[in-house]
Amino acid sequence: METNNYSDDVIGRARVQDTPELEAYYKELETLGAGALWKVANDIEPWEPRTNSIPMLWKYDDLRSLVLKSSELVTPEQAGRRVVYLVNDKRKDVSAAVGWLYTGIQVTRPGESTSAHRHRASALRFIMEGSKGYTVVDGNKIMLEVNDFVITPNSAWHEHGVEPDGQTCIWQDGLDIPLVNALEANDYAVYDGKQPLVKPINHLPLSYSCAGLIPADKTWDKPYSPLFKYSWSKVYPALLDAQIVNHPDPFDGILMQYSNPLTGGHVMQTMGAAMQLLPAGFKGKAHKHTGSFVYQCAKGSGYTIINGQRFDWKERDIFCVPSWAWHEHHNSSDTEDACLFNFNDLPVIEGLGLFQGRDYTENNGHQLI
Amino acid sequence: METNNYSDDVIGRARVQDTPELEAYYKELETLGAGALWKVANDIEPWEPRTNSIPMLWKYDDLRSLVLKSSELVTPEQAGRRVVYLVNDKRKDVSAAVGWLYTGIQVTRPGESTSAHRHRASALRFIMEGSKGYTVVDGNKIMLEVNDFVITPNSAWHEHGVEPDGQTCIWQDGLDIPLVNALEANDYAVYDGKQPLVKPINHLPLSYSCAGLIPADKTWDKPYSPLFKYSWSKVYPALLDAQIVNHPDPFDGILMQYSNPLTGGHVMQTMGAAMQLLPAGFKGKAHKHTGSFVYQCAKGSGYTIINGQRFDWKERDIFCVPSWAWHEHHNSSDTEDACLFNFNDLPVIEGLGLFQGRDYTENNGHQLI
Amino acid sequence: METNNYSDDVIGRARVQDTPELEAYYKELETLGAGALWKVANDIEPWEPRTNSIPMLWKYDDLRSLVLKSSELVTPEQAGRRVVYLVNDKRKDVSAAVGWLYTGIQVTRPGESTSAHRHRASALRFIMEGSKGYTVVDGNKIMLEVNDFVITPNSAWHEHGVEPDGQTCIWQDGLDIPLVNALEANDYAVYDGKQPLVKPINHLPLSYSCAGLIPADKTWDKPYSPLFKYSWSKVYPALLDAQIVNHPDPFDGILMQYSNPLTGGHVMQTMGAAMQLLPAGFKGKAHKHTGSFVYQCAKGSGYTIINGQRFDWKERDIFCVPSWAWHEHHNSSDTEDACLFNFNDLPVIEGLGLFQGRDYTENNGHQLI
Amino acid sequence: METNNYSDDVIGRARVQDTPELEAYYKELETLGAGALWKVANDIEPWEPRTNSIPMLWKYDDLRSLVLKSSELVTPEQAGRRVVYLVNDKRKDVSAAVGWLYTGIQVTRPGESTSAHRHRASALRFIMEGSKGYTVVDGNKIMLEVNDFVITPNSAWHEHGVEPDGQTCIWQDGLDIPLVNALEANDYAVYDGKQPLVKPINHLPLSYSCAGLIPADKTWDKPYSPLFKYSWSKVYPALLDAQIVNHPDPFDGILMQYSNPLTGGHVMQTMGAAMQLLPAGFKGKAHKHTGSFVYQCAKGSGYTIINGQRFDWKERDIFCVPSWAWHEHHNSSDTEDACLFNFNDLPVIEGLGLFQGRDYTENNGHQLI
């Protein structure tokens, strides 16, 4: 039923030849804050999804020393948050790493802590280095370890720090600041002083620590996950469990979504996150879909081919896959598994009915580089 | 606004004095399949919820040998299922332990297995003794250990057994057979032969083994929990985790609900289940609420006072609390915690808008015995 | 995969022969409040849904004068509610018309009103005769006309009456009293005096009067329909609209469900209702399904064949179809449509996962009488 | 707890003074696709929501002749769709009228029709002039009259036209094209020929024509309203009904949302719509909230004060209110009501947790102009 050669010279696309009379007409429209749709229709109605971002990879070997250097150059008090952010070459105007997602690398030294604040934008962290780091979200203090994933949702007061007897912590921040700004809804408030702790340390992660077991009083009424922290010490064994009893997905290996245990949905309303295990020797096939993704390698090494370009990664490297870009993941090792963390805008894309995907069918599913 | 002395001699209750004329009228109505509401109104509209069940306790010391004896008296082939069921003295007509809930104790010897069948009624098991028991639900085989809780939902094919190198297993069955019969909706079918296994052993429990981590492909579309088995090896540590960071509830200690990780709701549509830890020395206060409950002591010992009557229990004892009965739980030990498993009809009671409760306010919240 | 000849002499059904040893065993079990499942299993696990009700029809020509007579025999003050209830010959113990549904016929004379009360059971009315009747639900007064359907939900204060300048009103009451009693959750309270009106007359029906248009403030938070009244003056034209653009369903003609405009679900949590138009000359095919139904003919005349028995009905007659009974509806007229109102327990049956149905395939879909 | 004077010279905001060392550091970061967050933080994290749009009003008296002229200058075949679109002076880069919403005015002459196409973007129409216009959505033909509102959702095939014996139709189109492009998810396909009609004319509006009455078969499974058309002939009387029994909201008079009768939610996943009646003499108070709105006056006349600027409107005029702009609506007439249609991005703003509002508290709630 659908004709699909993507030529604009067909019924149903704009094919008007400009004439002097039309040129005059356009000028008249312009004076009224109007225009002729057929002048822009083919441009604003592309045949397929179109991204403004390019694939990029940020090597941790390059960034780490600069990130640490920031801790010598500025204090948290001066900087607000001492963060090096990663910016897509095509999205500098909105400070995004890909699509409408922001990411940065934050360093906190033992004994340091940020001031508390909140914003309509949502945030998440993935821990890269250090020990005895913590976050305090709405008066709940949560301790963090390497490869833990933690959320600081929309409009929750939050602050972070490292205990005096800990080790310098580095973590990746993910935020939807560009999206919330684009939707003209962001705000910001600073907390006057430190948040008082309202619950024992790790109250929420310990109250929801077992799959399928929840507090019977059912007092949680927030639109985000009450679990808050997803510990690597539990997540990695679960990936191995899942690997025992499931065939790896041809595109994504063992792909598990971080979810809200009270809804089975995404952890927050605007950003999702997932962890995937690429078994030893895994050679993923290529597909593309809507949604923007920021990845961090949590374990092992490998490479991802994005729109025909190969990006090699190892532990702590960060890279992005834009919307509708062909991509396939490969584990370089034949003996060890590799793990990729990602966060994404799937709650937006899925929630608004905008998800679609396509498999790469040529060349046995693998792109030519 | 409400007048509440529970006398029927008030406006709004039926207070008609019978007369010869009325008697004649009633007879005439009866010939037409009708009656006068005021003759029955006060009876069918009680001031408070009214139960047909009584509290009862079944001691495992008494039952165990009889349960084992059944394995000498009948075979699974003859019996269909070799089960001793526990029946409320006031609910023998519907074979219910309390309210519309059935419970029984099933014994299976090494190498034995039942034939496969299914029914519209839902079932659950709580493992009491033995090793290498298993259930097969819709082609998924799941291994069971002591204090594990497992579901076999509405209309799923299921069969059970014990591996030849296992030890005799005893488990508690819970079913909603009385309810589904009352709702005139039960059915039954036998499977011709053994179910073929469609997935590796423990496929589903291992695919959902970590709190907040779910398969990203989201193919589950059933109205019950994909986790199926809730392992004691994970549940008990989670109770201890929760105890660290929560004040015990004055009525129920640390009460955790088994839930569907994709909805945060009950494990099945008609029966819920929970596990609670009563800390050492815990003396629960009394309350009452709608809903029927069957308990099994999974650990420790204590007693429950139900409508002023004390029921002492220890590991493996089973007791019931009827709807709207005052009840309070006590741990007898000052040094060890006690754990109570229960299953109930809360999905029905809550889902139909029929839940209500009341706290016992006299005598500092404790009933007089 | 399923074997289905419904013989109990198959693997998977209980087939134990009693012996003296077993008889002794059963007695021993009985002393402990226990029994052998195989003694009752085949009975409590029927092959197909089994009802306790029989089909019945109540002719309005027979009942009307008796209903009116009640208004001479007792006052609303004495009777609480002056109602003749219709009772299934097999459900007299629970005062049900069919399954767990109660129905009655209430008469109110001009200037009379009942006192206000509430109960956990839910209620609904379908207006049969009269003018200027009204109901007051939680302080909202709603005027009623013939063939209007109105709800008085679970725990809402309610009272009814007829304006002094109205005409004697007769309406059908439907309640889930038997169900809520069976679930041991019913309660009752009388209101001290008359409810003050909190809103203008017909506030809620007038606020939701147009399909797809709702108050933008979204303050409604109750688990039942905010529309309350479904006016025949709007419902009948909508049936005609639907008839123009839809083929009649072979079983039910033009079958429309009364629904909550904020959820698309049933009007209340425990009872649903529907109106169906049988076009002139309509000869419905037979099917059976779970769920209990009470019908009233709102327009025209016809007959329904239930389990091979023919029940002729005309305007105002009431009849019931039990769970899993074969039934087919016929319009007797070749020139006029007929309309059947029904209320049912589908919210319970569907919500608990207990709905199933089967079409009658023999004899071109029509039962032999 | 919150300090709120909006000065960036506080703890929690970036306050780093640049130094030569820092300048060198920034350059080094830039070579790695990175930057220092504190350089941009205060800009990307505004204290309050910030819009990129300005309020604008488009007078129909100015536009109408130009719109009609388009029907002389180009054919539908050439233009794809013959539409004059209205563009915000600050959003020309994305062809949006306000925020991420597109709007245009389309003219179709008797006997004309567009070719069928579909796109991931959603569309809606509000009819301004003419008779016997129609839309065909997924094979369902729907007739349109003045002030009717109709949807053509996400990925549904659609085409429009005017019957040969109708009168030239002019309608307002609303689309989320800018949003779906921004989210990098738009697509487009043309239909090869005309869609065959799969149902009688007006099948869906006539199947759902009565509030609270829905087809009992429940086959609808789409994430948008099955009603499709909201007829002015029903909507306006419903506004009058609602006015009888409700106090006008101080900000919005009688504000009714077009909704999906199966969910009570918005008509589509990305765009909502509403109709409001400003009673005769209504002087609305000012508030602001997130979300972008495009209004059209459907009846009467009045003015809206937006961020202190007065915009006078009468029937058919179109204006916009950007996110977080103060706005208040006034009916100019003391004798006739005025009606404003609007469409908006509330499904996005609410669904992503980004809605917030504030009332104007000074000057008795009215802005100074």
Side-chain angles (χ1 to χ4, degrees), chain A residues 71 74-77 82 107-114 134 160-164 194:
Chain A
S71 72
V74 295
T75 64
E77 287 71 29
R82 199 166 51 201
V107 58
T108 310
R109 294 196 290 199
E112 283 183 349
S113 68
T114 64
Y134 62 83
H160 321 293
V162 175
E163 300 288 0
K194 289 276 166 198

Side-chain angles (χ1 to χ4, degrees), chain A residues 211-212, chain B residues 123-125 135-144 148-154 156-158 202-206 208 220 222-231 258-261 267-268:
Chain B
L124 53 83
R125 331 270 156 208
T135 190
V136 184
V137 183
D138 278 342
N140 292 274
K141 183 174 182 177
I142 296 171
M143 302 306 300
L144 304 171
D148 284 359
F149 164 65
V150 67
I151 59 171
T152 49
N154 181 329
W157 292 110
H158 57 285
N202 290 323
H203 171 249
L204 285 163
L206 288 177
Y208 289 86
W220 190 257
K222 302 290 200 318
Y224 43 81
S225 172
L227 184 52
F228 276 84
K229 178 174 68 168
Y230 297 75
S231 299
Y258 296 103
S259 84
N260 179 337
V267 291
M268 295 186 290

Side-chain angles (χ1 to χ4, degrees), chain D residues 224-277:
Chain D
Y224 42 81
S225 174
L227 184 51
F228 275 85
K229 177 174 68 168
Y230 297 76
S231 298
W232 180 245
S233 63
K234 296 192 165 197
V235 167
Y236 183 63
L239 290 166
L240 297 179
D241 280 351
Q243 188 184 13
I244 293 168
V245 292
N246 290 281
H247 292 291
D249 177 81
F251 304 104
D252 283 310
I254 302 297
L255 177 59
M256 305 289 279
Q257 180 189 303
Y258 297 103
S259 84
N260 180 336
L262 298 182
T263 66
H266 292 287
V267 290
M268 297 186 288
Q269 292 172 286
T270 50
M271 288 191 291
M275 179 66 81
Q276 73 195 93
L277 180 150

Side-chain angles (χ1 to χ4, degrees), chain A residues 25-39:
Chain A
Y25 179 67
Y26 299 151
K27 283 205 177 117
E28 200 170 356
L29 286 177
E30 200 174 350
T31 63
L32 299 173
L37 174 58
W38 59 86
K39 293 271 288 177

Side-chain angles (χ1 to χ4, degrees), chain A residues 38 49 52 78 87 101 106 139 143 173 249 276 335 338:
Chain A
W38 59 86
N52 290 312
Q78 293 170 304
V87 62
L101 297 173
Q106 183 161 180
M143 303 304 300
D173 293 332
D249 177 82
Q276 73 195 93
T335 53

Side-chain angles (χ1 to χ4, degrees), chain C residues 124-298:
Chain C
L124 53 84
R125 330 269 157 212
F126 189 76
I127 313 308
M128 301 170 79
E129 283 194 25
S131 70
K132 300 211 176 171
Y134 62 83
T135 190
V136 183
V137 183
D138 279 342
N140 292 275
K141 183 174 181 175
I142 296 170
M143 302 305 299
L144 304 170
E145 295 174 56
V146 171
N147 280 346
D148 284 359
F149 165 64
V150 69
I151 60 171
T152 51
N154 181 329
S155 297
W157 292 111
H158 56 283
E159 61 190 89
H160 321 293
V162 175
E163 300 288 2
D165 62 342
Q167 289 170 291
T168 294
C169 285
I170 299 180
W171 56 70
Q172 181 183 9
D173 292 331
L175 288 106
D176 58 3
I177 286 177
L179 177 73
V180 180
N181 282 336
L183 295 176
E184 310 186 331
N186 207 7
D187 62 11
Y188 194 86
V190 294
Y191 194 90
D192 190 9
K194 289 273 168 200
Q195 299 177 68
L197 300 191
V198 300
K199 291 283 185 181
I201 291 177
N202 291 324
H203 169 249
L204 285 163
L206 288 177
S207 295
Y208 290 85
S209 69
C210 174
L213 202 71
I214 60 173
D217 58 6
K218 299 193 186 163
T219 52
W220 190 258
D221 61 357
K222 301 292 200 316
Y224 43 80
S225 172
L227 184 51
F228 277 85
K229 179 174 66 167
Y230 298 75
S231 299
W232 180 244
S233 64
K234 296 193 165 195
V235 166
Y236 183 63
L239 289 166
L240 297 179
D241 280 351
Q243 187 183 12
I244 294 168
V245 292
N246 289 282
H247 292 291
D249 177 81
F251 305 101
D252 283 311
I254 302 297
L255 177 59
M256 303 290 279
Q257 179 189 301
Y258 296 104
S259 84
N260 179 336
L262 299 182
T263 67
H266 292 287
V267 290
M268 294 188 290
Q269 291 171 287
T270 51
M271 287 189 293
M275 179 66 82
Q276 71 195 95
L277 181 149
L278 308 179
F282 181 80
K283 305 291 171 205
K285 297 200 170 186
H287 63 166
K288 64 181 177 182
H289 45 72
T290 47
S292 298
F293 293 74
V294 177
Y295 288 85
Q296 183 185 138
C297 174

Side-chain angles (χ1 to χ4, degrees), chain A residues 17-293:
Chain A
Q17 299 297 324
D18 286 351
T19 63
E21 189 179 19
L22 279 170
E23 300 281 5
Y25 179 67
Y26 299 151
K27 283 205 177 117
E28 200 170 356
L29 286 177
E30 200 174 350
T31 63
L32 299 173
L37 174 58
W38 59 86
K39 293 271 288 177
V40 297
N42 293 355
D43 180 52
I44 66 176
E45 295 189 311
W47 294 102
E48 285 196 28
R50 192 174 53 193
T51 186
N52 290 312
S53 299
I54 56 168
M56 286 183 70
L57 180 143
W58 295 268
K59 291 201 161 293
Y60 195 55
D61 282 349
D62 296 339
L63 285 168
R64 187 175 183 277
S65 59
L66 282 175
V67 167
L68 286 170
K69 193 172 175 184
S70 75
S71 72
E72 296 156 18
L73 293 172
V74 295
T75 64
E77 287 71 29
Q78 293 170 304
R81 282 142 301 162
R82 199 166 51 201
V83 175
V84 166
Y85 72 105
L86 311 183
V87 62
N88 198 288
D89 279 357
K90 301 291 188 188
R91 299 296 278 170
K92 289 185 178 174
D93 53 336
V94 292
S95 304
V98 64
W100 299 97
L101 297 173
Y102 160 99
T103 200
I105 302 180
Q106 183 161 180
V107 58
T108 310
R109 294 196 290 199
E112 283 183 349
S113 68
T114 64
S115 59
H117 61 275
R118 70 175 178 188
H119 34 64
R120 189 63 52 167
S122 294
L124 53 84
R125 330 270 158 209
F126 189 76
I127 314 307
M128 301 171 79
E129 283 193 25
S131 70
K132 300 209 175 174
Y134 62 83
T135 189
V136 183
V137 182
D138 277 341
N140 292 274
K141 183 175 182 177
I142 295 171
M143 303 304 300
L144 304 170
E145 294 174 57
V146 170
N147 279 348
D148 285 358
F149 165 63
V150 68
I151 59 170
T152 48
N154 180 327
S155 297
W157 292 111
H158 57 283
E159 60 188 270
H160 321 293
V162 175
E163 300 288 0
D165 61 341
Q167 288 170 291
T168 295
C169 285
I170 300 179
W171 57 69
Q172 181 183 8
D173 293 332
L175 289 106
D176 59 3
I177 286 176
L179 177 72
V180 181
N181 281 336
L183 294 176
E184 310 186 331
N186 207 8
D187 62 11
Y188 195 88
V190 294
Y191 194 89
D192 190 9
K194 289 276 166 198
Q195 298 176 71
L197 299 191
V198 299
K199 292 282 186 182
I201 290 176
N202 290 325
H203 169 250
L204 284 163
L206 288 177
S207 295
Y208 290 86
S209 69
C210 174
L213 202 71
I214 60 172
D217 59 4
K218 300 193 186 163
T219 52
W220 189 257
D221 61 357
K222 301 290 201 317
Y224 42 81
S225 173
L227 183 53
F228 275 86
K229 178 173 67 169
Y230 298 75
S231 299
W232 180 244
S233 64
K234 296 191 164 199
V235 167
Y236 183 62
L239 290 167
L240 298 179
D241 280 351
Q243 189 184 11
I244 293 169
V245 292
N246 290 282
H247 292 291
D249 177 82
F251 304 104
D252 282 312
I254 302 297
L255 177 60
M256 304 289 279
Q257 180 189 302
Y258 297 104
S259 85
N260 179 337
L262 299 182
T263 65
H266 292 287
V267 291
M268 296 188 289
Q269 291 171 286
T270 50
M271 287 190 292
M275 178 67 80
Q276 73 195 93
L277 180 148
L278 308 179
F282 181 81
K283 305 290 170 206
K285 296 199 171 188
H287 62 168
K288 63 182 177 183
H289 46 71
T290 47
S292 299
F293 292 74

